[in-house]
Amino acid sequence: MPRRAPLRGLGGRSGARREGAEDAPVLNIGHRGASGYAPEHTIAAYDLAKKMGADYVEQDLQLTRDGVLVSLHDETLDRTARPTAESAPGDCTGPVREKTLAQIKTCDVGSWFNEAYPQYASEEYVGLRIPTLEEVFGRYRKSVNYYIETKSPEAAPGVEEELLRLMDEYGLTRPAAEKWQVLIQSFSPASLQKIHALDPSLPLIQLYAGAETSQTIQPRLDLAATYAVGIGPSKNDVDRPLVEAAHARCLDLHPYTVNETAEMEGLINLGVDGMFTNFPDRLEAVLGKDAAAGKTGASLASRANAACRES
Ligand code: G3P
Ligand code: CA
């Protein structure tokens, strides 16, 4: 059976990878883009993640009052949005679902980052806008892989249908099914089960909150395996029994959010199949990969997972 080359800096891996996954790469998922270096969920952060060799660029979805999917982590605007000269009072505070797209498009989502992280501040970040998912698809088309989260879907009815409609419009449905060009993630089993019912070919990832543990997640894996191809636990919940239990069910493991090199190495040695990171360049350095390998990586991962399911 072919083996992966030893990982640079790790002296090889003793991890418990899933049967048949030896040739699949450990996937590098740019968490909110390269959000350690640039304001999260902006085109600047996504461009940088792509440039740094991330296999996937993550989007968290919120739905505006007028039904537009936008890429923003929080349900409210308060943490990352600042008003501009175009904003009316209240446009850039409060829940996204109470604002129209026109309102939130007046907000600056770059300046907060410059204030919070002066070591990475850039004038180019001032005035950046919240991207719609359609703008993201329109910019990158099939040049990146997308890792999209339905965020608080119970508060955003219709988010799943709109996501699938946009994927269809941009020709991403088939590449998602065939080579994991899009992975859809959620903490909500109901949201993922809804998507699975709408299109069982789409690859889904069940997230588990940080309050869970390996012991509380393991009994739920049989259910997850009925609709998902993988799980996303908090990095602190990953141990060898969880890795083995997931792999026994052909579920890939992509923990979040892993920013330190030593943690990356530890998780790789436990046998994870990828991880979310704010610093994709650090993970690239750990993996010793070529920076342009993203599309191939996802494709290999999808094939290894399919082979596991067929065996
Ligand atoms: O989606 C994986 C990870 O991003 C979950 O945490 O809160 O950053 O969306 P959060
Ligand atoms: Ca997320």
Side-chain angles (χ1 to χ4, degrees), residues 244-300:
E244 288 175 355
H247 286 173
R249 292 160 177 82
C250 298
L251 291 166
D252 283 19
L253 248 94
H254 299 161
Y256 63 89
T257 302
V258 189
N259 292 329
E260 301 305 326
T261 297
E263 306 179 295
M264 292 170 180
E265 291 171 349
L267 287 162
I268 291 167
N269 275 322
L270 279 174
V272 304
D273 305 285
M275 65 191 81
F276 293 82
T277 179
N278 297 346
F279 300 94
D281 58 337
R282 293 182 188 169
L283 185 52
E284 284 296 285
V286 168
L287 295 171
K289 289 201 299 183
D290 292 334
K295 293 183 77 177
T296 312
S299 195
L300 288 171

Coordinates of all heavy atoms in Angstrom, one line a residue, residues 244-300:
E244 N -10.1 7.3 15.9 CA -10.4 5.9 15.5 C -11.9 5.7 15.3 O -12.3 5.0 14.4 CB -9.8 4.9 16.5 CG -8.3 4.9 16.4 CD -7.6 4.1 17.5 OE1 -8.2 3.5 18.4 OE2 -6.3 3.9 17.4
A245 N -12.7 6.2 16.2 CA -14.1 6.0 16.1 C -14.7 6.7 14.8 O -15.5 6.2 14.1 CB -14.8 6.6 17.3
A246 N -14.2 7.9 14.5 CA -14.6 8.6 13.3 C -14.2 7.8 12.1 O -14.9 7.5 11.1 CB -14.1 10.0 13.3
H247 N -12.9 7.4 12.0 CA -12.4 6.7 10.9 C -13.0 5.4 10.7 O -13.2 4.9 9.5 CB -10.9 6.6 11.0 CG -10.1 7.9 10.7 ND1 -8.8 8.0 10.9 CD2 -10.6 9.1 10.3 CE1 -8.5 9.3 10.6 NE2 -9.5 9.9 10.2
A248 N -13.4 4.7 11.7 CA -14.1 3.4 11.6 C -15.5 3.6 10.9 O -16.0 2.6 10.3 CB -14.4 2.8 13.0
R249 N -16.0 4.9 10.9 CA -17.2 5.1 10.2 C -17.0 5.9 8.9 O -17.9 6.5 8.4 CB -18.2 5.9 11.1 CG -18.6 5.1 12.3 CD -19.1 5.9 13.5 NE -19.6 5.1 14.6 CZ -18.8 4.5 15.5 NH1 -17.5 4.7 15.5 NH2 -19.4 3.8 16.5
C250 N -15.8 6.0 8.5 CA -15.4 6.7 7.2 C -15.7 8.2 7.3 O -16.1 8.8 6.4 CB -16.1 6.1 6.0 SG -15.6 4.4 5.7
L251 N -15.6 8.7 8.5 CA -15.8 10.1 8.8 C -14.4 10.8 8.9 O -13.6 10.4 9.7 CB -16.6 10.4 10.0 CG -18.1 10.0 10.0 CD1 -18.6 10.0 11.5 CD2 -18.9 10.9 9.1
D252 N -14.2 11.8 8.0 CA -12.9 12.5 8.1 C -13.0 13.5 9.3 O -14.1 13.9 9.7 CB -12.6 13.3 6.8 CG -12.1 12.4 5.7 OD1 -12.3 11.2 5.8 OD2 -11.5 12.9 4.8
L253 N -11.8 13.9 9.8 CA -11.8 14.7 11.0 C -11.1 16.0 10.7 O -9.9 16.0 10.3 CB -10.9 14.1 12.1 CG -11.7 13.6 13.3 CD1 -12.1 12.2 13.1 CD2 -10.8 13.8 14.6
H254 N -11.8 17.2 10.8 CA -11.2 18.5 10.6 C -11.4 19.4 11.8 O -12.4 20.1 11.9 CB -11.9 19.1 9.4 CG -11.7 18.4 8.1 ND1 -12.6 18.6 7.0 CD2 -10.8 17.4 7.7 CE1 -12.2 17.8 6.0 NE2 -11.1 17.1 6.4
P255 N -10.5 19.3 12.8 CA -10.7 20.1 14.0 C -10.5 21.6 13.7 O -9.8 22.0 12.8 CB -9.6 19.6 15.0 CG -8.7 18.8 14.1 CD -9.3 18.4 12.9
Y256 N -11.1 22.4 14.6 CA -10.9 23.9 14.6 C -10.4 24.3 15.9 O -10.6 23.6 16.9 CB -12.2 24.6 14.2 CG -13.3 24.4 15.2 CD1 -13.5 25.2 16.3 CD2 -14.2 23.3 15.1 CE1 -14.5 25.0 17.2 CE2 -15.2 23.1 16.0 CZ -15.4 23.9 17.1 OH -16.4 23.7 18.0
T257 N -9.9 25.5 16.1 CA -9.1 26.3 15.1 C -7.7 26.3 15.6 O -7.4 26.6 16.8 CB -9.6 27.8 15.1 OG1 -11.0 27.8 14.8 CG2 -8.9 28.6 14.1
V258 N -6.8 25.8 14.8 CA -5.5 25.4 15.2 C -4.4 26.4 14.6 O -4.2 26.5 13.4 CB -5.2 24.0 14.6 CG1 -3.9 23.4 15.2 CG2 -6.4 23.0 14.9
N259 N -3.8 27.1 15.5 CA -3.0 28.2 15.1 C -1.5 28.1 15.4 O -0.7 28.8 14.8 CB -3.5 29.6 15.6 CG -4.8 29.9 15.0 OD1 -5.1 29.6 13.9 ND2 -5.7 30.6 15.8
E260 N -1.2 27.2 16.3 CA 0.2 27.1 16.7 C 0.8 25.8 16.1 O 0.2 24.7 16.0 CB 0.3 27.0 18.2 CG -0.2 28.2 19.0 CD 0.4 29.5 18.5 OE1 1.6 29.5 18.2 OE2 -0.3 30.5 18.5
T261 N 2.1 25.9 15.6 CA 2.7 24.9 14.9 C 2.8 23.6 15.8 O 2.5 22.5 15.2 CB 4.2 25.3 14.6 OG1 4.1 26.4 13.7 CG2 5.0 24.2 13.9
A262 N 3.0 23.7 17.0 CA 3.1 22.5 17.9 C 1.8 21.8 17.9 O 1.7 20.5 17.9 CB 3.6 22.8 19.3
E263 N 0.7 22.5 18.0 CA -0.6 21.9 18.0 C -0.9 21.2 16.7 O -1.5 20.2 16.6 CB -1.7 23.0 18.2 CG -1.7 23.9 19.3 CD -2.9 24.9 19.3 OE1 -3.0 25.7 18.3 OE2 -3.7 24.8 20.2
M264 N -0.5 21.9 15.6 CA -0.7 21.3 14.3 C 0.0 19.9 14.2 O -0.6 18.9 13.7 CB -0.2 22.2 13.2 CG -0.9 23.5 13.0 SD -0.1 24.7 11.9 CE -1.2 26.1 12.0
E265 N 1.2 19.9 14.6 CA 2.0 18.6 14.6 C 1.3 17.6 15.5 O 1.3 16.4 15.1 CB 3.4 18.9 15.0 CG 4.2 19.8 14.0 CD 5.5 20.3 14.5 OE1 5.8 20.1 15.7 OE2 6.3 20.8 13.7
G266 N 0.9 18.0 16.6 CA 0.3 17.0 17.5 C -1.0 16.4 16.9 O -1.2 15.2 17.0
L267 N -1.8 17.2 16.3 CA -3.1 16.7 15.7 C -2.8 15.9 14.5 O -3.5 14.8 14.3 CB -4.0 17.9 15.3 CG -4.6 18.6 16.5 CD1 -5.2 20.0 16.2 CD2 -5.8 17.7 17.1
I268 N -1.8 16.2 13.7 CA -1.4 15.4 12.5 C -1.0 14.0 13.0 O -1.3 13.0 12.5 CB -0.3 16.1 11.7 CG1 -0.9 17.3 11.0 CG2 0.3 15.1 10.7 CD1 0.1 18.3 10.4
N269 N -0.2 14.0 14.1 CA 0.2 12.7 14.6 C -0.9 11.9 15.2 O -0.8 10.7 15.3 CB 1.4 12.9 15.7 CG 2.7 13.0 15.0 OD1 3.0 12.3 14.0 ND2 3.6 13.9 15.4
L270 N -2.0 12.6 15.6 CA -3.1 11.8 16.1 C -3.9 11.2 14.9 O -4.8 10.4 15.1 CB -4.1 12.7 16.9 CG -3.7 12.9 18.4 CD1 -4.6 13.9 19.0 CD2 -3.7 11.6 19.1
G271 N -3.7 11.7 13.7 CA -4.3 11.2 12.5 C -5.4 12.0 11.9 O -6.2 11.4 11.1
V272 N -5.5 13.3 12.2 CA -6.6 14.1 11.6 C -6.4 14.2 10.1 O -5.3 14.0 9.6 CB -6.7 15.5 12.3 CG1 -6.9 15.4 13.8 CG2 -5.5 16.4 11.9
D273 N -7.5 14.6 9.4 CA -7.4 14.6 8.0 C -7.3 16.1 7.4 O -7.3 16.3 6.2 CB -8.7 14.0 7.4 CG -8.8 12.6 7.9 OD1 -8.1 11.7 7.5 OD2 -9.6 12.4 8.9
G274 N -7.3 17.0 8.3 CA -7.2 18.4 7.9 C -7.5 19.3 9.2 O -7.8 18.7 10.2
M275 N -7.4 20.6 9.0 CA -7.7 21.4 10.2 C -8.0 22.9 9.7 O -7.4 23.3 8.7 CB -6.6 21.4 11.2 CG -5.3 21.9 10.8 SD -4.0 21.5 12.1 CE -3.6 19.8 11.6
F276 N -8.8 23.6 10.5 CA -9.0 25.0 10.3 C -7.9 25.8 11.0 O -7.5 25.5 12.1 CB -10.3 25.4 10.9 CG -11.6 24.8 10.3 CD1 -12.0 23.6 10.6 CD2 -12.3 25.6 9.4 CE1 -13.1 23.0 10.1 CE2 -13.5 25.1 8.8 CZ -13.9 23.8 9.2
T277 N -7.4 26.7 10.3 CA -6.3 27.6 10.9 C -6.5 29.0 10.4 O -6.8 29.3 9.2 CB -4.9 27.1 10.6 OG1 -4.0 28.0 11.2 CG2 -4.6 26.9 9.1
N278 N -6.2 30.0 11.3 CA -6.1 31.4 10.9 C -4.8 31.7 10.1 O -4.6 32.8 9.6 CB -6.2 32.3 12.1 CG -7.5 32.1 12.8 OD1 -8.5 31.6 12.3 ND2 -7.6 32.7 14.1
F279 N -3.8 30.8 10.2 CA -2.5 31.0 9.6 C -2.2 29.9 8.7 O -1.3 29.0 9.0 CB -1.5 31.0 10.8 CG -1.7 32.2 11.8 CD1 -2.5 31.9 12.9 CD2 -1.3 33.4 11.5 CE1 -2.7 33.0 13.8 CE2 -1.5 34.5 12.4 CZ -2.2 34.2 13.6
P280 N -2.7 29.9 7.5 CA -2.5 28.8 6.5 C -1.0 28.6 6.2 O -0.6 27.5 5.8 CB -3.3 29.2 5.3 CG -4.3 30.2 5.8 CD -3.7 30.9 7.0
D281 N -0.2 29.7 6.2 CA 1.2 29.5 5.9 C 1.9 28.7 6.9 O 2.8 27.9 6.6 CB 1.8 30.9 5.8 CG 1.7 31.8 7.0 OD1 0.8 31.5 7.8 OD2 2.6 32.7 7.2
R282 N 1.5 28.7 8.2 CA 2.1 27.9 9.2 C 1.9 26.4 8.9 O 2.8 25.6 9.1 CB 1.6 28.3 10.6 CG 2.1 29.7 11.0 CD 1.6 30.0 12.4 NE 1.8 31.3 12.8 CZ 1.3 32.0 13.8 NH1 0.5 31.3 14.7 NH2 1.5 33.2 14.0
L283 N 0.6 26.1 8.6 CA 0.3 24.7 8.3 C 1.0 24.2 7.1 O 1.5 23.1 7.0 CB -1.2 24.5 8.2 CG -1.8 23.1 8.1 CD1 -1.2 22.2 9.1 CD2 -3.3 23.1 8.1
E284 N 1.1 25.1 6.1 CA 1.8 24.7 4.8 C 3.3 24.4 5.2 O 3.8 23.4 4.6 CB 1.8 25.9 3.8 CG 0.5 26.0 3.1 CD 0.1 24.8 2.2 OE1 0.7 24.6 1.2 OE2 -0.8 24.0 2.7
A285 N 3.8 25.2 6.1 CA 5.2 24.9 6.4 C 5.4 23.6 7.2 O 6.3 22.8 7.0 CB 5.8 26.1 7.3
V286 N 4.4 23.3 8.0 CA 4.4 22.0 8.8 C 4.3 20.8 7.8 O 4.9 19.8 7.9 CB 3.3 21.9 9.8 CG1 3.1 20.5 10.3 CG2 3.6 22.9 10.9
L287 N 3.4 21.0 6.8 CA 3.1 19.9 5.9 C 4.1 19.8 4.8 O 4.2 18.8 4.1 CB 1.7 20.1 5.2 CG 0.5 20.0 6.2 CD1 -0.8 20.5 5.5 CD2 0.4 18.6 6.8
G288 N 4.9 20.9 4.5 CA 5.9 20.9 3.5 C 5.3 20.7 2.1 O 5.8 20.1 1.2
K289 N 4.1 21.3 1.9 CA 3.4 21.2 0.6 C 3.8 22.3 -0.3 O 4.3 23.3 0.1 CB 1.9 21.2 0.9 CG 1.3 20.0 1.6 CD -0.2 19.9 1.3 CE -1.0 21.0 1.8 NZ -2.4 20.8 1.6
D290 N 3.4 22.1 -1.6 CA 3.5 23.1 -2.6 C 2.3 24.0 -2.4 O 1.2 23.6 -2.3 CB 3.5 22.6 -4.0 CG 4.8 21.8 -4.3 OD1 5.8 22.0 -3.6 OD2 4.7 20.9 -5.2
A291 N 2.6 25.3 -2.5 CA 1.5 26.3 -2.3 C 0.3 26.2 -3.3 O -0.7 26.7 -3.0 CB 2.0 27.7 -2.2
A292 N 0.5 25.5 -4.4 CA -0.5 25.5 -5.4 C -1.3 24.2 -5.4 O -2.1 24.0 -6.3 CB 0.1 25.8 -6.8
A293 N -1.2 23.4 -4.4 CA -1.7 22.1 -4.4 C -3.2 22.0 -4.0 O -3.7 20.9 -3.9 CB -0.9 21.1 -3.6
G294 N -3.8 23.1 -3.7 CA -5.2 23.0 -3.1 C -6.2 22.2 -3.8 O -6.9 21.4 -3.2
K295 N -6.4 22.4 -5.1 CA -7.4 21.7 -5.8 C -7.2 20.2 -5.8 O -8.1 19.4 -5.7 CB -7.6 22.2 -7.2 CG -8.1 23.6 -7.2 CD -8.3 24.2 -8.6 CE -9.6 23.6 -9.2 NZ -9.8 24.2 -10.5
T296 N -5.9 19.8 -6.0 CA -5.6 18.4 -6.0 C -5.9 17.7 -4.6 O -6.3 16.6 -4.5 CB -4.1 18.2 -6.3 OG1 -3.8 19.0 -7.5 CG2 -3.8 16.8 -6.6
G297 N -5.5 18.5 -3.6 CA -5.7 18.0 -2.2 C -7.1 17.6 -1.9 O -7.4 16.5 -1.4
A298 N -8.0 18.5 -2.3 CA -9.5 18.2 -2.0 C -9.9 17.0 -2.8 O -10.7 16.1 -2.3 CB -10.3 19.4 -2.4
S299 N -9.5 16.9 -4.0 CA -9.9 15.8 -4.9 C -9.4 14.5 -4.3 O -10.1 13.5 -4.2 CB -9.3 16.1 -6.2 OG -9.9 15.2 -7.2
L300 N -8.1 14.4 -3.8 CA -7.6 13.2 -3.3 C -8.3 12.8 -2.0 O -8.6 11.7 -1.7 CB -6.1 13.4 -3.0 CG -5.1 13.4 -4.2 CD1 -3.7 13.8 -3.7 CD2 -5.1 12.1 -4.9

